[in-house]
mmCIF file of all heavy atoms in Angstrom:
data_model
loop_
_atom_site.group_PDB
_atom_site.id
_atom_site.type_symbol
_atom_site.label_atom_id
_atom_site.label_comp_id
_atom_site.label_asym_id
_atom_site.label_seq_id
_atom_site.Cartn_x
_atom_site.Cartn_y
_atom_site.Cartn_z
ATOM 1 N N ASN D 203 16.304 7.467 -15.955
ATOM 2 C CA ASN D 203 17.534 6.721 -16.224
ATOM 3 C C ASN D 203 17.367 5.732 -17.374
ATOM 4 O O ASN D 203 18.351 5.208 -17.903
ATOM 5 C CB ASN D 203 17.985 5.969 -14.964
ATOM 6 C CG ASN D 203 16.963 4.933 -14.508
ATOM 7 O OD1 ASN D 203 15.765 5.229 -14.436
ATOM 8 N ND2 ASN D 203 17.417 3.737 -14.192
ATOM 9 N N ARG D 204 16.120 5.509 -17.788
ATOM 10 C CA ARG D 204 15.860 4.585 -18.896
ATOM 11 C C ARG D 204 15.811 5.321 -20.241
ATOM 12 O O ARG D 204 15.670 4.685 -21.281
ATOM 13 C CB ARG D 204 14.543 3.845 -18.668
ATOM 14 C CG ARG D 204 14.460 3.135 -17.327
ATOM 15 C CD ARG D 204 13.151 2.387 -17.177
ATOM 16 N NE ARG D 204 13.139 1.188 -18.011
ATOM 17 C CZ ARG D 204 12.042 0.518 -18.346
ATOM 18 N NH1 ARG D 204 10.865 0.982 -17.949
ATOM 19 N NH2 ARG D 204 12.110 -0.559 -19.090
ATOM 20 N N LEU D 205 15.907 6.646 -20.196
ATOM 21 C CA LEU D 205 15.805 7.462 -21.406
ATOM 22 C C LEU D 205 17.145 8.136 -21.694
ATOM 23 O O LEU D 205 17.682 8.845 -20.852
ATOM 24 C CB LEU D 205 14.722 8.535 -21.236
ATOM 25 C CG LEU D 205 13.331 8.045 -20.806
ATOM 26 C CD1 LEU D 205 12.407 9.232 -20.587
ATOM 27 C CD2 LEU D 205 12.757 7.086 -21.841
ATOM 28 N N SER D 206 17.640 7.956 -22.876
ATOM 29 C CA SER D 206 18.964 8.488 -23.199
ATOM 30 C C SER D 206 18.998 10.013 -23.184
ATOM 31 O O SER D 206 20.056 10.600 -22.987
ATOM 32 C CB SER D 206 19.425 7.987 -24.574
ATOM 33 O OG SER D 206 18.522 8.407 -25.593
ATOM 34 N N ASN D 207 17.835 10.646 -23.406
ATOM 35 C CA ASN D 207 17.848 12.104 -23.504
ATOM 36 C C ASN D 207 18.171 12.794 -22.185
ATOM 37 O O ASN D 207 18.519 13.955 -22.153
ATOM 38 C CB ASN D 207 16.512 12.642 -24.036
ATOM 39 C CG ASN D 207 15.374 12.468 -23.052
ATOM 40 O OD1 ASN D 207 15.337 11.488 -22.324
ATOM 41 N ND2 ASN D 207 14.450 13.399 -23.034
ATOM 42 N N PHE D 208 18.083 12.047 -21.055
ATOM 43 C CA PHE D 208 18.400 12.659 -19.760
ATOM 44 C C PHE D 208 19.910 12.679 -19.529
ATOM 45 O O PHE D 208 20.453 13.643 -19.036
ATOM 46 C CB PHE D 208 17.710 11.902 -18.619
ATOM 47 C CG PHE D 208 16.398 12.517 -18.232
ATOM 48 C CD1 PHE D 208 15.278 12.333 -19.029
ATOM 49 C CD2 PHE D 208 16.278 13.286 -17.101
ATOM 50 C CE1 PHE D 208 14.069 12.909 -18.686
ATOM 51 C CE2 PHE D 208 15.076 13.873 -16.749
ATOM 52 C CZ PHE D 208 13.970 13.684 -17.544
ATOM 53 N N SER D 209 20.575 11.610 -19.897
ATOM 54 C CA SER D 209 22.018 11.559 -19.679
ATOM 55 C C SER D 209 22.778 12.137 -20.865
ATOM 56 O O SER D 209 23.922 12.571 -20.730
ATOM 57 C CB SER D 209 22.455 10.101 -19.467
ATOM 58 O OG SER D 209 22.181 9.333 -20.636
ATOM 59 N N GLY D 210 22.124 12.137 -22.021
ATOM 60 C CA GLY D 210 22.785 12.661 -23.219
ATOM 61 C C GLY D 210 23.710 11.654 -23.874
ATOM 62 O O GLY D 210 24.272 11.907 -24.934
ATOM 63 N N THR D 211 23.887 10.533 -23.237
ATOM 64 C CA THR D 211 24.760 9.499 -23.793
ATOM 65 C C THR D 211 24.080 8.151 -23.664
ATOM 66 O O THR D 211 23.240 7.935 -22.793
ATOM 67 C CB THR D 211 26.097 9.435 -23.046
ATOM 68 O OG1 THR D 211 25.858 9.142 -21.658
ATOM 69 C CG2 THR D 211 26.846 10.764 -23.151
ATOM 70 N N GLY D 212 24.485 7.239 -24.530
ATOM 71 C CA GLY D 212 23.981 5.884 -24.434
ATOM 72 C C GLY D 212 22.609 5.728 -25.039
ATOM 73 O O GLY D 212 21.891 6.693 -25.301
ATOM 74 N N ALA D 213 22.230 4.478 -25.239
ATOM 75 C CA ALA D 213 20.933 4.156 -25.832
ATOM 76 C C ALA D 213 19.891 3.975 -24.737
ATOM 77 O O ALA D 213 20.223 3.703 -23.584
ATOM 78 C CB ALA D 213 21.054 2.875 -26.648
ATOM 79 N N PRO D 214 18.605 4.129 -25.079
ATOM 80 C CA PRO D 214 17.540 3.883 -24.101
ATOM 81 C C PRO D 214 17.533 2.421 -23.663
ATOM 82 O O PRO D 214 18.145 1.557 -24.292
ATOM 83 C CB PRO D 214 16.270 4.228 -24.879
ATOM 84 C CG PRO D 214 16.718 5.080 -26.018
ATOM 85 C CD PRO D 214 18.090 4.606 -26.364
ATOM 86 N N ASP D 215 16.848 2.157 -22.590
ATOM 87 C CA ASP D 215 16.678 0.798 -22.082
ATOM 88 C C ASP D 215 16.128 -0.089 -23.202
ATOM 89 O O ASP D 215 15.092 0.209 -23.799
ATOM 90 C CB ASP D 215 15.705 0.837 -20.899
ATOM 91 C CG ASP D 215 15.617 -0.487 -20.165
ATOM 92 O OD1 ASP D 215 15.720 -1.544 -20.811
ATOM 93 O OD2 ASP D 215 15.414 -0.454 -18.942
ATOM 94 N N SER D 216 16.810 -1.174 -23.474
ATOM 95 C CA SER D 216 16.429 -2.042 -24.587
ATOM 96 C C SER D 216 15.108 -2.769 -24.355
ATOM 97 O O SER D 216 14.530 -3.302 -25.308
ATOM 98 C CB SER D 216 17.530 -3.076 -24.839
ATOM 99 O OG SER D 216 17.719 -3.892 -23.691
ATOM 100 N N THR D 217 14.625 -2.793 -23.118
ATOM 101 C CA THR D 217 13.355 -3.467 -22.853
ATOM 102 C C THR D 217 12.160 -2.555 -23.079
ATOM 103 O O THR D 217 11.019 -3.002 -22.994
ATOM 104 C CB THR D 217 13.308 -4.009 -21.406
ATOM 105 O OG1 THR D 217 13.361 -2.915 -20.481
ATOM 106 C CG2 THR D 217 14.470 -4.952 -21.141
ATOM 107 N N LEU D 218 12.417 -1.268 -23.367
ATOM 108 C CA LEU D 218 11.338 -0.313 -23.600
ATOM 109 C C LEU D 218 10.875 -0.352 -25.056
ATOM 110 O O LEU D 218 11.693 -0.364 -25.983
ATOM 111 C CB LEU D 218 11.805 1.113 -23.282
ATOM 112 C CG LEU D 218 11.611 1.639 -21.862
ATOM 113 C CD1 LEU D 218 12.259 3.013 -21.735
ATOM 114 C CD2 LEU D 218 10.145 1.723 -21.497
ATOM 115 N N ASP D 219 9.569 -0.360 -25.250
ATOM 116 C CA ASP D 219 8.985 -0.241 -26.578
ATOM 117 C C ASP D 219 9.411 1.084 -27.207
ATOM 118 O O ASP D 219 9.402 2.132 -26.545
ATOM 119 C CB ASP D 219 7.462 -0.318 -26.466
ATOM 120 C CG ASP D 219 6.765 -0.005 -27.766
ATOM 121 O OD1 ASP D 219 6.854 -0.819 -28.690
ATOM 122 O OD2 ASP D 219 6.137 1.071 -27.833
ATOM 123 N N SER D 220 9.799 1.048 -28.492
ATOM 124 C CA SER D 220 10.341 2.238 -29.152
ATOM 125 C C SER D 220 9.322 3.377 -29.202
ATOM 126 O O SER D 220 9.695 4.559 -29.066
ATOM 127 C CB SER D 220 10.804 1.892 -30.566
ATOM 128 O OG SER D 220 9.738 1.346 -31.336
#
Side-chain angles (χ1 to χ4, degrees):
N203 62 313
R204 306 182 73 197
L205 307 176
S206 60
N207 69 325
F208 265 76
S209 63
T211 60
D215 189 326
S216 61
T217 64
L218 270 175
D219 172 70
S220 58

